[in-house]
Amino acid sequence: MFDKIHEHEQVVFCNDDKTGLKAIIAIHDTTLGPALGGCRMQPYKSWEDALEDVLRLSKGMTYKCAAADVDFGGGKAVIVGDPATDKSPELFRAFGQFVESLNGRFYTGTDMGTTTEDFVHSLKETNCIVGVEEEYGGHGDSSVPTALGVMYGIQATSQMIWGTEDLSGRNFSIQGLGKVGEKIALRLIEEGANLYVTDINPQAVDAFLSRAKSMGAAVKAVEEHEIYSADADVFVPCALGGIINDDTIPQLKVKAVAGSANNQLLDIRHGRMLMERDILYAPDYIINAGGLIQVADELYEPNKDRVLRKTRAIYNSLLKVYQQSREEGITTVEAANNYCEQVIQNRRYQNSFFSHMKRPKWAVRT
Ligand code: NAD
């Protein structure tokens, strides 16, 4: 793990006895701008587990920001604690003070185990908080641009496989009908697609089925484990990570996997297994970047059109990745990572030219 620490610009351990705060902030790379990444709260078994998670996630954010063309670098924070029992307003204020001590090098917001309400407390100590509700200066529900970006990604995937963006008559299997999955499912119905859906929450399934019925759509609900073998053209994972693995890949009948879930591949080698089965994989951090694009846009006055325009670019980014993967015989994840490393390297070169100039305004945001 200590090898990985040397890949990072800065790692900050945060302890506050009064509030019980134990957290780690990792800044991986600020070539593209100040680090941006959510703050997870989880009852990690040890500091080592927390450190491993934050190092991995912050590096992932560097790539995600590069792919989404936002003026941020990669960072992440983890709070060690049980979200159900260990939260308090004081704890999140203390966390805000640590974020503030980084003087604009790190921006954060919600992630697993934390909510926008938690960060309203942090906002009292620092302005480096993004993604809160509109009444607190945020830009609102990020699942809207996330779902839209996934739809552009599905169209790009369709273009790559079938030479058309037309989704009518195609079959999609959707795992998870939450904030993002439901929006994608409704858009696919509007496009004339047929759906298999599943969710561990029966109410979410029932609500969706009655909505789909009123739209005259062809939708079949299946059991949780049946979604992998559904007779679909595209699998759209919108729930958990790690669902593309040794058990599920042999079950897939689809030609593509394109959905919003984070960390879909259990392991990087599963990208190659998909390729060997001729299943096109849309790298998750590219296709699900719509929410990040909206959050990053909070540096400026709200402008939904700008967010939508940048989200639309997911279509071309994915096509480039697909083409590079095909030309070079590498997986789409390898192609995506190469593309991001190139973006960062180019910016390093430009930064070395302009290093005599002042850093842009976000560096001194008050
Ligand atoms: P959500 O919590 O609103 O929805 C997730 C849904 O998945 C829930 O309805 C849940 O019941 C269901 N689910 C959980 N386990 C399941 C299982 N085993 N099988 C079937 N369904 C299951 O979350 P969301 O905001 O819609 O996000 C969905 C995914 O997309 C997550 O992986 C998230 O990390 C990722 N993502 C979300 C955003 C965003 O803007 N919300 C941005 C990027 C990535």
PDB file of all heavy atoms in Angstrom, residues 149-150 152-157 161 234-235 237 244 255-261 264-265 274 279-288 314 318-319 321-322 332-333 336:
ATOM      1  N   GLY A 149     -26.441  11.227 -19.541  1.00  0.00           N
ATOM      2  CA  GLY A 149     -25.133  10.810 -20.070  1.00  0.00           C
ATOM      3  C   GLY A 149     -25.128   9.336 -20.430  1.00  0.00           C
ATOM      4  O   GLY A 149     -24.576   8.932 -21.460  1.00  0.00           O
ATOM      5  N   VAL A 150     -25.768   8.521 -19.605  1.00  0.00           N
ATOM      6  CA  VAL A 150     -25.827   7.085 -19.904  1.00  0.00           C
ATOM      7  C   VAL A 150     -26.626   6.862 -21.197  1.00  0.00           C
ATOM      8  O   VAL A 150     -26.257   6.031 -22.036  1.00  0.00           O
ATOM      9  CB  VAL A 150     -26.421   6.284 -18.724  1.00  0.00           C
ATOM     10  CG1 VAL A 150     -26.633   4.821 -19.111  1.00  0.00           C
ATOM     11  CG2 VAL A 150     -25.519   6.369 -17.504  1.00  0.00           C
ATOM     12  N   TYR A 152     -26.802   8.922 -23.749  1.00  0.00           N
ATOM     13  CA  TYR A 152     -25.891   9.237 -24.871  1.00  0.00           C
ATOM     14  C   TYR A 152     -24.909   8.087 -25.077  1.00  0.00           C
ATOM     15  O   TYR A 152     -24.585   7.716 -26.206  1.00  0.00           O
ATOM     16  CB  TYR A 152     -25.110  10.526 -24.605  1.00  0.00           C
ATOM     17  CG  TYR A 152     -25.951  11.775 -24.775  1.00  0.00           C
ATOM     18  CD1 TYR A 152     -26.059  12.716 -23.750  1.00  0.00           C
ATOM     19  CD2 TYR A 152     -26.634  12.022 -25.964  1.00  0.00           C
ATOM     20  CE1 TYR A 152     -26.829  13.853 -23.896  1.00  0.00           C
ATOM     21  CE2 TYR A 152     -27.421  13.159 -26.116  1.00  0.00           C
ATOM     22  CZ  TYR A 152     -27.503  14.065 -25.073  1.00  0.00           C
ATOM     23  OH  TYR A 152     -28.270  15.186 -25.227  1.00  0.00           O
ATOM     24  N   GLY A 153     -24.447   7.521 -23.963  1.00  0.00           N
ATOM     25  CA  GLY A 153     -23.496   6.413 -24.048  1.00  0.00           C
ATOM     26  C   GLY A 153     -24.126   5.185 -24.698  1.00  0.00           C
ATOM     27  O   GLY A 153     -23.484   4.487 -25.484  1.00  0.00           O
ATOM     28  N   ILE A 154     -25.386   4.930 -24.381  1.00  0.00           N
ATOM     29  CA  ILE A 154     -26.084   3.778 -24.991  1.00  0.00           C
ATOM     30  C   ILE A 154     -26.243   4.014 -26.497  1.00  0.00           C
ATOM     31  O   ILE A 154     -26.059   3.103 -27.312  1.00  0.00           O
ATOM     32  CB  ILE A 154     -27.446   3.554 -24.299  1.00  0.00           C
ATOM     33  CG1 ILE A 154     -27.216   2.977 -22.888  1.00  0.00           C
ATOM     34  CG2 ILE A 154     -28.344   2.634 -25.109  1.00  0.00           C
ATOM     35  CD1 ILE A 154     -28.477   2.857 -22.030  1.00  0.00           C
ATOM     36  N   GLN A 155     -26.533   5.264 -26.861  1.00  0.00           N
ATOM     37  CA  GLN A 155     -26.667   5.555 -28.299  1.00  0.00           C
ATOM     38  C   GLN A 155     -25.332   5.361 -29.026  1.00  0.00           C
ATOM     39  O   GLN A 155     -25.280   4.818 -30.132  1.00  0.00           O
ATOM     40  CB  GLN A 155     -27.184   6.980 -28.501  1.00  0.00           C
ATOM     41  CG  GLN A 155     -28.684   7.061 -28.253  1.00  0.00           C
ATOM     42  CD  GLN A 155     -29.197   8.480 -28.181  1.00  0.00           C
ATOM     43  OE1 GLN A 155     -28.450   9.414 -27.900  1.00  0.00           O
ATOM     44  NE2 GLN A 155     -30.486   8.645 -28.413  1.00  0.00           N
ATOM     45  N   ALA A 156     -24.236   5.813 -28.378  1.00  0.00           N
ATOM     46  CA  ALA A 156     -22.908   5.640 -28.995  1.00  0.00           C
ATOM     47  C   ALA A 156     -22.598   4.152 -29.134  1.00  0.00           C
ATOM     48  O   ALA A 156     -22.043   3.703 -30.143  1.00  0.00           O
ATOM     49  CB  ALA A 156     -21.839   6.338 -28.147  1.00  0.00           C
ATOM     50  N   THR A 157     -22.978   3.385 -28.121  1.00  0.00           N
ATOM     51  CA  THR A 157     -22.728   1.938 -28.140  1.00  0.00           C
ATOM     52  C   THR A 157     -23.520   1.286 -29.271  1.00  0.00           C
ATOM     53  O   THR A 157     -23.003   0.447 -30.011  1.00  0.00           O
ATOM     54  CB  THR A 157     -23.139   1.335 -26.771  1.00  0.00           C
ATOM     55  OG1 THR A 157     -22.432   2.051 -25.753  1.00  0.00           O
ATOM     56  CG2 THR A 157     -22.805  -0.133 -26.667  1.00  0.00           C
ATOM     57  N   ILE A 161     -22.072  -0.778 -32.541  1.00  0.00           N
ATOM     58  CA  ILE A 161     -22.369  -2.194 -32.819  1.00  0.00           C
ATOM     59  C   ILE A 161     -23.262  -2.352 -34.050  1.00  0.00           C
ATOM     60  O   ILE A 161     -23.006  -3.191 -34.908  1.00  0.00           O
ATOM     61  CB  ILE A 161     -23.064  -2.854 -31.607  1.00  0.00           C
ATOM     62  CG1 ILE A 161     -22.164  -2.783 -30.372  1.00  0.00           C
ATOM     63  CG2 ILE A 161     -23.405  -4.316 -31.905  1.00  0.00           C
ATOM     64  CD1 ILE A 161     -22.827  -3.311 -29.111  1.00  0.00           C
ATOM     65  N   VAL A 234     -28.601  -5.246 -24.641  1.00  0.00           N
ATOM     66  CA  VAL A 234     -27.689  -4.436 -23.820  1.00  0.00           C
ATOM     67  C   VAL A 234     -28.048  -4.614 -22.343  1.00  0.00           C
ATOM     68  O   VAL A 234     -29.231  -4.523 -21.978  1.00  0.00           O
ATOM     69  CB  VAL A 234     -27.789  -2.926 -24.186  1.00  0.00           C
ATOM     70  CG1 VAL A 234     -26.806  -2.100 -23.357  1.00  0.00           C
ATOM     71  CG2 VAL A 234     -27.532  -2.695 -25.668  1.00  0.00           C
ATOM     72  N   PHE A 235     -27.028  -4.869 -21.536  1.00  0.00           N
ATOM     73  CA  PHE A 235     -27.225  -4.949 -20.073  1.00  0.00           C
ATOM     74  C   PHE A 235     -26.881  -3.572 -19.498  1.00  0.00           C
ATOM     75  O   PHE A 235     -25.825  -3.002 -19.804  1.00  0.00           O
ATOM     76  CB  PHE A 235     -26.299  -6.027 -19.500  1.00  0.00           C
ATOM     77  CG  PHE A 235     -26.295  -6.138 -17.995  1.00  0.00           C
ATOM     78  CD1 PHE A 235     -27.463  -6.025 -17.253  1.00  0.00           C
ATOM     79  CD2 PHE A 235     -25.106  -6.374 -17.314  1.00  0.00           C
ATOM     80  CE1 PHE A 235     -27.460  -6.141 -15.867  1.00  0.00           C
ATOM     81  CE2 PHE A 235     -25.074  -6.492 -15.925  1.00  0.00           C
ATOM     82  CZ  PHE A 235     -26.265  -6.369 -15.207  1.00  0.00           C
ATOM     83  N   PRO A 237     -26.385  -1.951 -16.029  1.00  0.00           N
ATOM     84  CA  PRO A 237     -26.292  -2.067 -14.564  1.00  0.00           C
ATOM     85  C   PRO A 237     -26.396  -0.691 -13.892  1.00  0.00           C
ATOM     86  O   PRO A 237     -25.582   0.192 -14.166  1.00  0.00           O
ATOM     87  CB  PRO A 237     -24.902  -2.675 -14.317  1.00  0.00           C
ATOM     88  CG  PRO A 237     -24.221  -2.775 -15.639  1.00  0.00           C
ATOM     89  CD  PRO A 237     -25.066  -2.098 -16.665  1.00  0.00           C
ATOM     90  N   ILE A 244     -19.864  -7.510 -12.797  1.00  0.00           N
ATOM     91  CA  ILE A 244     -19.280  -8.183 -13.963  1.00  0.00           C
ATOM     92  C   ILE A 244     -18.117  -9.017 -13.443  1.00  0.00           C
ATOM     93  O   ILE A 244     -17.063  -8.460 -13.081  1.00  0.00           O
ATOM     94  CB  ILE A 244     -18.811  -7.149 -15.018  1.00  0.00           C
ATOM     95  CG1 ILE A 244     -19.968  -6.230 -15.442  1.00  0.00           C
ATOM     96  CG2 ILE A 244     -18.182  -7.849 -16.208  1.00  0.00           C
ATOM     97  CD1 ILE A 244     -21.085  -6.925 -16.200  1.00  0.00           C
ATOM     98  N   LYS A 255     -24.911  -7.985 -26.263  1.00  0.00           N
ATOM     99  CA  LYS A 255     -23.785  -7.542 -27.100  1.00  0.00           C
ATOM    100  C   LYS A 255     -23.015  -6.408 -26.430  1.00  0.00           C
ATOM    101  O   LYS A 255     -21.924  -6.042 -26.880  1.00  0.00           O
ATOM    102  CB  LYS A 255     -24.301  -7.031 -28.471  1.00  0.00           C
ATOM    103  CG  LYS A 255     -24.944  -8.076 -29.347  1.00  0.00           C
ATOM    104  CD  LYS A 255     -23.989  -9.190 -29.736  1.00  0.00           C
ATOM    105  CE  LYS A 255     -22.910  -8.755 -30.707  1.00  0.00           C
ATOM    106  NZ  LYS A 255     -21.929  -9.838 -30.943  1.00  0.00           N
ATOM    107  N   ALA A 256     -23.628  -5.819 -25.375  1.00  0.00           N
ATOM    108  CA  ALA A 256     -22.948  -4.688 -24.729  1.00  0.00           C
ATOM    109  C   ALA A 256     -23.380  -4.544 -23.275  1.00  0.00           C
ATOM    110  O   ALA A 256     -24.480  -4.969 -22.901  1.00  0.00           O
ATOM    111  CB  ALA A 256     -23.263  -3.391 -25.474  1.00  0.00           C
ATOM    112  N   VAL A 257     -22.482  -3.940 -22.477  1.00  0.00           N
ATOM    113  CA  VAL A 257     -22.799  -3.567 -21.093  1.00  0.00           C
ATOM    114  C   VAL A 257     -22.592  -2.059 -21.000  1.00  0.00           C
ATOM    115  O   VAL A 257     -21.492  -1.558 -21.276  1.00  0.00           O
ATOM    116  CB  VAL A 257     -21.864  -4.288 -20.095  1.00  0.00           C
ATOM    117  CG1 VAL A 257     -22.145  -3.817 -18.663  1.00  0.00           C
ATOM    118  CG2 VAL A 257     -22.026  -5.797 -20.191  1.00  0.00           C
ATOM    119  N   ALA A 258     -23.658  -1.336 -20.668  1.00  0.00           N
ATOM    120  CA  ALA A 258     -23.558   0.131 -20.647  1.00  0.00           C
ATOM    121  C   ALA A 258     -24.527   0.663 -19.601  1.00  0.00           C
ATOM    122  O   ALA A 258     -25.723   0.754 -19.852  1.00  0.00           O
ATOM    123  CB  ALA A 258     -23.893   0.700 -22.026  1.00  0.00           C
ATOM    124  N   GLY A 259     -24.021   0.987 -18.422  1.00  0.00           N
ATOM    125  CA  GLY A 259     -24.907   1.465 -17.358  1.00  0.00           C
ATOM    126  C   GLY A 259     -24.189   2.396 -16.414  1.00  0.00           C
ATOM    127  O   GLY A 259     -22.998   2.685 -16.580  1.00  0.00           O
ATOM    128  N   SER A 260     -24.908   2.829 -15.391  1.00  0.00           N
ATOM    129  CA  SER A 260     -24.381   3.896 -14.522  1.00  0.00           C
ATOM    130  C   SER A 260     -23.575   3.396 -13.325  1.00  0.00           C
ATOM    131  O   SER A 260     -22.836   4.171 -12.716  1.00  0.00           O
ATOM    132  CB  SER A 260     -25.535   4.740 -13.971  1.00  0.00           C
ATOM    133  OG  SER A 260     -26.211   4.028 -12.941  1.00  0.00           O
ATOM    134  N   ALA A 261     -23.709   2.132 -12.953  1.00  0.00           N
ATOM    135  CA  ALA A 261     -23.100   1.686 -11.685  1.00  0.00           C
ATOM    136  C   ALA A 261     -21.595   1.940 -11.680  1.00  0.00           C
ATOM    137  O   ALA A 261     -20.934   1.823 -12.722  1.00  0.00           O
ATOM    138  CB  ALA A 261     -23.385   0.201 -11.472  1.00  0.00           C
ATOM    139  N   GLN A 264     -18.058  -1.417 -12.109  1.00  0.00           N
ATOM    140  CA  GLN A 264     -18.842  -2.578 -12.564  1.00  0.00           C
ATOM    141  C   GLN A 264     -17.993  -3.846 -12.664  1.00  0.00           C
ATOM    142  O   GLN A 264     -18.453  -4.940 -12.372  1.00  0.00           O
ATOM    143  CB  GLN A 264     -19.492  -2.270 -13.919  1.00  0.00           C
ATOM    144  CG  GLN A 264     -20.579  -1.223 -13.815  1.00  0.00           C
ATOM    145  CD  GLN A 264     -21.058  -0.721 -15.164  1.00  0.00           C
ATOM    146  OE1 GLN A 264     -21.053  -1.423 -16.159  1.00  0.00           O
ATOM    147  NE2 GLN A 264     -21.485   0.525 -15.197  1.00  0.00           N
ATOM    148  N   LEU A 265     -16.739  -3.696 -13.121  1.00  0.00           N
ATOM    149  CA  LEU A 265     -15.866  -4.866 -13.249  1.00  0.00           C
ATOM    150  C   LEU A 265     -15.334  -5.227 -11.870  1.00  0.00           C
ATOM    151  O   LEU A 265     -14.769  -4.362 -11.185  1.00  0.00           O
ATOM    152  CB  LEU A 265     -14.677  -4.561 -14.161  1.00  0.00           C
ATOM    153  CG  LEU A 265     -14.975  -4.064 -15.576  1.00  0.00           C
ATOM    154  CD1 LEU A 265     -13.673  -3.838 -16.340  1.00  0.00           C
ATOM    155  CD2 LEU A 265     -15.860  -5.050 -16.330  1.00  0.00           C
ATOM    156  N   LEU A 274     -14.844  -9.919 -21.113  1.00  0.00           N
ATOM    157  CA  LEU A 274     -15.974  -9.409 -21.910  1.00  0.00           C
ATOM    158  C   LEU A 274     -15.561  -9.302 -23.372  1.00  0.00           C
ATOM    159  O   LEU A 274     -16.300  -9.694 -24.283  1.00  0.00           O
ATOM    160  CB  LEU A 274     -16.410  -8.025 -21.396  1.00  0.00           C
ATOM    161  CG  LEU A 274     -17.182  -7.988 -20.081  1.00  0.00           C
ATOM    162  CD1 LEU A 274     -17.471  -6.547 -19.679  1.00  0.00           C
ATOM    163  CD2 LEU A 274     -18.512  -8.752 -20.187  1.00  0.00           C
ATOM    164  N   ILE A 279     -18.368  -8.838 -26.159  1.00  0.00           N
ATOM    165  CA  ILE A 279     -19.349  -7.960 -25.502  1.00  0.00           C
ATOM    166  C   ILE A 279     -18.671  -6.611 -25.311  1.00  0.00           C
ATOM    167  O   ILE A 279     -17.610  -6.519 -24.673  1.00  0.00           O
ATOM    168  CB  ILE A 279     -19.798  -8.540 -24.145  1.00  0.00           C
ATOM    169  CG1 ILE A 279     -20.498  -9.886 -24.351  1.00  0.00           C
ATOM    170  CG2 ILE A 279     -20.701  -7.558 -23.411  1.00  0.00           C
ATOM    171  CD1 ILE A 279     -20.815 -10.639 -23.056  1.00  0.00           C
ATOM    172  N   LEU A 280     -19.279  -5.571 -25.882  1.00  0.00           N
ATOM    173  CA  LEU A 280     -18.680  -4.235 -25.813  1.00  0.00           C
ATOM    174  C   LEU A 280     -18.976  -3.630 -24.448  1.00  0.00           C
ATOM    175  O   LEU A 280     -20.140  -3.567 -24.032  1.00  0.00           O
ATOM    176  CB  LEU A 280     -19.271  -3.369 -26.930  1.00  0.00           C
ATOM    177  CG  LEU A 280     -18.624  -2.013 -27.178  1.00  0.00           C
ATOM    178  CD1 LEU A 280     -17.144  -2.152 -27.547  1.00  0.00           C
ATOM    179  CD2 LEU A 280     -19.359  -1.270 -28.289  1.00  0.00           C
ATOM    180  N   TYR A 281     -17.929  -3.181 -23.769  1.00  0.00           N
ATOM    181  CA  TYR A 281     -18.116  -2.626 -22.418  1.00  0.00           C
ATOM    182  C   TYR A 281     -17.877  -1.112 -22.425  1.00  0.00           C
ATOM    183  O   TYR A 281     -16.812  -0.646 -22.835  1.00  0.00           O
ATOM    184  CB  TYR A 281     -17.134  -3.302 -21.447  1.00  0.00           C
ATOM    185  CG  TYR A 281     -17.149  -2.687 -20.063  1.00  0.00           C
ATOM    186  CD1 TYR A 281     -18.302  -2.714 -19.289  1.00  0.00           C
ATOM    187  CD2 TYR A 281     -16.025  -2.051 -19.543  1.00  0.00           C
ATOM    188  CE1 TYR A 281     -18.339  -2.121 -18.045  1.00  0.00           C
ATOM    189  CE2 TYR A 281     -16.046  -1.467 -18.288  1.00  0.00           C
ATOM    190  CZ  TYR A 281     -17.210  -1.514 -17.546  1.00  0.00           C
ATOM    191  OH  TYR A 281     -17.252  -0.926 -16.307  1.00  0.00           O
ATOM    192  N   ALA A 282     -18.883  -0.356 -21.968  1.00  0.00           N
ATOM    193  CA  ALA A 282     -18.737   1.100 -21.838  1.00  0.00           C
ATOM    194  C   ALA A 282     -18.097   1.386 -20.485  1.00  0.00           C
ATOM    195  O   ALA A 282     -18.748   1.168 -19.455  1.00  0.00           O
ATOM    196  CB  ALA A 282     -20.111   1.760 -21.913  1.00  0.00           C
ATOM    197  N   PRO A 283     -16.816   1.826 -20.458  1.00  0.00           N
ATOM    198  CA  PRO A 283     -16.173   2.044 -19.156  1.00  0.00           C
ATOM    199  C   PRO A 283     -17.040   2.936 -18.264  1.00  0.00           C
ATOM    200  O   PRO A 283     -17.491   4.005 -18.684  1.00  0.00           O
ATOM    201  CB  PRO A 283     -14.850   2.716 -19.535  1.00  0.00           C
ATOM    202  CG  PRO A 283     -14.572   2.244 -20.919  1.00  0.00           C
ATOM    203  CD  PRO A 283     -15.917   2.138 -21.577  1.00  0.00           C
ATOM    204  N   ASP A 284     -17.275   2.454 -17.034  1.00  0.00           N
ATOM    205  CA  ASP A 284     -18.270   3.119 -16.180  1.00  0.00           C
ATOM    206  C   ASP A 284     -17.924   4.583 -15.907  1.00  0.00           C
ATOM    207  O   ASP A 284     -18.784   5.446 -15.917  1.00  0.00           O
ATOM    208  CB  ASP A 284     -18.468   2.345 -14.868  1.00  0.00           C
ATOM    209  CG  ASP A 284     -17.167   1.882 -14.234  1.00  0.00           C
ATOM    210  OD1 ASP A 284     -16.101   2.450 -14.549  1.00  0.00           O
ATOM    211  OD2 ASP A 284     -17.218   0.939 -13.419  1.00  0.00           O
ATOM    212  N   TYR A 285     -16.640   4.868 -15.707  1.00  0.00           N
ATOM    213  CA  TYR A 285     -16.328   6.245 -15.304  1.00  0.00           C
ATOM    214  C   TYR A 285     -16.493   7.239 -16.449  1.00  0.00           C
ATOM    215  O   TYR A 285     -16.529   8.437 -16.221  1.00  0.00           O
ATOM    216  CB  TYR A 285     -14.949   6.334 -14.648  1.00  0.00           C
ATOM    217  CG  TYR A 285     -13.731   6.151 -15.531  1.00  0.00           C
ATOM    218  CD1 TYR A 285     -13.233   7.196 -16.296  1.00  0.00           C
ATOM    219  CD2 TYR A 285     -13.068   4.929 -15.579  1.00  0.00           C
ATOM    220  CE1 TYR A 285     -12.097   7.033 -17.073  1.00  0.00           C
ATOM    221  CE2 TYR A 285     -11.935   4.761 -16.351  1.00  0.00           C
ATOM    222  CZ  TYR A 285     -11.447   5.827 -17.098  1.00  0.00           C
ATOM    223  OH  TYR A 285     -10.321   5.661 -17.869  1.00  0.00           O
ATOM    224  N   ILE A 286     -16.614   6.729 -17.683  1.00  0.00           N
ATOM    225  CA  ILE A 286     -16.886   7.633 -18.813  1.00  0.00           C
ATOM    226  C   ILE A 286     -18.393   7.797 -18.980  1.00  0.00           C
ATOM    227  O   ILE A 286     -18.905   8.904 -19.049  1.00  0.00           O
ATOM    228  CB  ILE A 286     -16.249   7.097 -20.107  1.00  0.00           C
ATOM    229  CG1 ILE A 286     -14.737   7.055 -19.914  1.00  0.00           C
ATOM    230  CG2 ILE A 286     -16.659   7.943 -21.308  1.00  0.00           C
ATOM    231  CD1 ILE A 286     -13.921   7.008 -21.149  1.00  0.00           C
ATOM    232  N   ILE A 287     -19.108   6.689 -19.006  1.00  0.00           N
ATOM    233  CA  ILE A 287     -20.548   6.760 -19.322  1.00  0.00           C
ATOM    234  C   ILE A 287     -21.353   7.381 -18.167  1.00  0.00           C
ATOM    235  O   ILE A 287     -22.394   7.991 -18.396  1.00  0.00           O
ATOM    236  CB  ILE A 287     -21.092   5.361 -19.717  1.00  0.00           C
ATOM    237  CG1 ILE A 287     -22.479   5.493 -20.361  1.00  0.00           C
ATOM    238  CG2 ILE A 287     -21.130   4.391 -18.561  1.00  0.00           C
ATOM    239  CD1 ILE A 287     -22.982   4.228 -21.021  1.00  0.00           C
ATOM    240  N   ASN A 288     -20.852   7.274 -16.915  1.00  0.00           N
ATOM    241  CA  ASN A 288     -21.667   7.795 -15.800  1.00  0.00           C
ATOM    242  C   ASN A 288     -21.206   9.163 -15.302  1.00  0.00           C
ATOM    243  O   ASN A 288     -21.514   9.574 -14.193  1.00  0.00           O
ATOM    244  CB  ASN A 288     -21.745   6.776 -14.652  1.00  0.00           C
ATOM    245  CG  ASN A 288     -20.445   6.644 -13.870  1.00  0.00           C
ATOM    246  OD1 ASN A 288     -19.542   7.472 -13.983  1.00  0.00           O
ATOM    247  ND2 ASN A 288     -20.344   5.607 -13.051  1.00  0.00           N
ATOM    248  N   ILE A 314     -20.162  12.918 -23.857  1.00  0.00           N
ATOM    249  CA  ILE A 314     -19.921  11.517 -23.478  1.00  0.00           C
ATOM    250  C   ILE A 314     -20.066  10.611 -24.716  1.00  0.00           C
ATOM    251  O   ILE A 314     -19.343   9.634 -24.874  1.00  0.00           O
ATOM    252  CB  ILE A 314     -20.898  11.095 -22.353  1.00  0.00           C
ATOM    253  CG1 ILE A 314     -20.475  11.798 -21.048  1.00  0.00           C
ATOM    254  CG2 ILE A 314     -20.938   9.582 -22.164  1.00  0.00           C
ATOM    255  CD1 ILE A 314     -21.434  11.591 -19.887  1.00  0.00           C
ATOM    256  N   LEU A 318     -16.958   8.168 -25.782  1.00  0.00           N
ATOM    257  CA  LEU A 318     -17.093   6.707 -25.811  1.00  0.00           C
ATOM    258  C   LEU A 318     -16.749   6.144 -27.178  1.00  0.00           C
ATOM    259  O   LEU A 318     -16.050   5.141 -27.284  1.00  0.00           O
ATOM    260  CB  LEU A 318     -18.529   6.311 -25.461  1.00  0.00           C
ATOM    261  CG  LEU A 318     -18.796   5.850 -24.046  1.00  0.00           C
ATOM    262  CD1 LEU A 318     -20.206   5.318 -23.928  1.00  0.00           C
ATOM    263  CD2 LEU A 318     -17.825   4.767 -23.605  1.00  0.00           C
ATOM    264  N   LEU A 319     -17.229   6.835 -28.244  1.00  0.00           N
ATOM    265  CA  LEU A 319     -16.912   6.338 -29.588  1.00  0.00           C
ATOM    266  C   LEU A 319     -15.404   6.291 -29.801  1.00  0.00           C
ATOM    267  O   LEU A 319     -14.877   5.334 -30.363  1.00  0.00           O
ATOM    268  CB  LEU A 319     -17.563   7.234 -30.650  1.00  0.00           C
ATOM    269  CG  LEU A 319     -19.006   6.910 -31.013  1.00  0.00           C
ATOM    270  CD1 LEU A 319     -19.456   7.770 -32.190  1.00  0.00           C
ATOM    271  CD2 LEU A 319     -19.194   5.429 -31.359  1.00  0.00           C
ATOM    272  N   VAL A 321     -13.077   5.922 -27.531  1.00  0.00           N
ATOM    273  CA  VAL A 321     -12.541   4.804 -26.740  1.00  0.00           C
ATOM    274  C   VAL A 321     -12.805   3.479 -27.460  1.00  0.00           C
ATOM    275  O   VAL A 321     -11.932   2.622 -27.570  1.00  0.00           O
ATOM    276  CB  VAL A 321     -13.164   4.818 -25.328  1.00  0.00           C
ATOM    277  CG1 VAL A 321     -13.007   3.486 -24.632  1.00  0.00           C
ATOM    278  CG2 VAL A 321     -12.547   5.927 -24.497  1.00  0.00           C
ATOM    279  N   TYR A 322     -14.014   3.305 -27.987  1.00  0.00           N
ATOM    280  CA  TYR A 322     -14.359   2.064 -28.696  1.00  0.00           C
ATOM    281  C   TYR A 322     -13.441   1.874 -29.910  1.00  0.00           C
ATOM    282  O   TYR A 322     -12.948   0.781 -30.172  1.00  0.00           O
ATOM    283  CB  TYR A 322     -15.817   2.101 -29.170  1.00  0.00           C
ATOM    284  CG  TYR A 322     -16.852   1.974 -28.061  1.00  0.00           C
ATOM    285  CD1 TYR A 322     -18.145   2.463 -28.235  1.00  0.00           C
ATOM    286  CD2 TYR A 322     -16.545   1.353 -26.852  1.00  0.00           C
ATOM    287  CE1 TYR A 322     -19.112   2.335 -27.251  1.00  0.00           C
ATOM    288  CE2 TYR A 322     -17.510   1.228 -25.856  1.00  0.00           C
ATOM    289  CZ  TYR A 322     -18.782   1.724 -26.057  1.00  0.00           C
ATOM    290  OH  TYR A 322     -19.737   1.595 -25.080  1.00  0.00           O
ATOM    291  N   THR A 332     -11.632  -1.873 -23.714  1.00  0.00           N
ATOM    292  CA  THR A 332     -12.126  -0.491 -23.679  1.00  0.00           C
ATOM    293  C   THR A 332     -11.642   0.225 -22.415  1.00  0.00           C
ATOM    294  O   THR A 332     -11.450   1.432 -22.427  1.00  0.00           O
ATOM    295  CB  THR A 332     -13.664  -0.469 -23.744  1.00  0.00           C
ATOM    296  OG1 THR A 332     -14.178  -1.334 -22.718  1.00  0.00           O
ATOM    297  CG2 THR A 332     -14.165  -0.919 -25.100  1.00  0.00           C
ATOM    298  N   VAL A 333     -11.432  -0.544 -21.330  1.00  0.00           N
ATOM    299  CA  VAL A 333     -10.942   0.092 -20.093  1.00  0.00           C
ATOM    300  C   VAL A 333      -9.491   0.545 -20.301  1.00  0.00           C
ATOM    301  O   VAL A 333      -9.122   1.659 -19.919  1.00  0.00           O
ATOM    302  CB  VAL A 333     -11.021  -0.880 -18.898  1.00  0.00           C
ATOM    303  CG1 VAL A 333     -10.469  -0.233 -17.642  1.00  0.00           C
ATOM    304  CG2 VAL A 333     -12.445  -1.314 -18.670  1.00  0.00           C
ATOM    305  N   ALA A 336      -9.597   3.594 -22.407  1.00  0.00           N
ATOM    306  CA  ALA A 336     -10.051   4.765 -21.643  1.00  0.00           C
ATOM    307  C   ALA A 336      -8.931   5.281 -20.741  1.00  0.00           C
ATOM    308  O   ALA A 336      -8.686   6.488 -20.670  1.00  0.00           O
ATOM    309  CB  ALA A 336     -11.271   4.390 -20.799  1.00  0.00           C
TER     310      ALA A 336
END
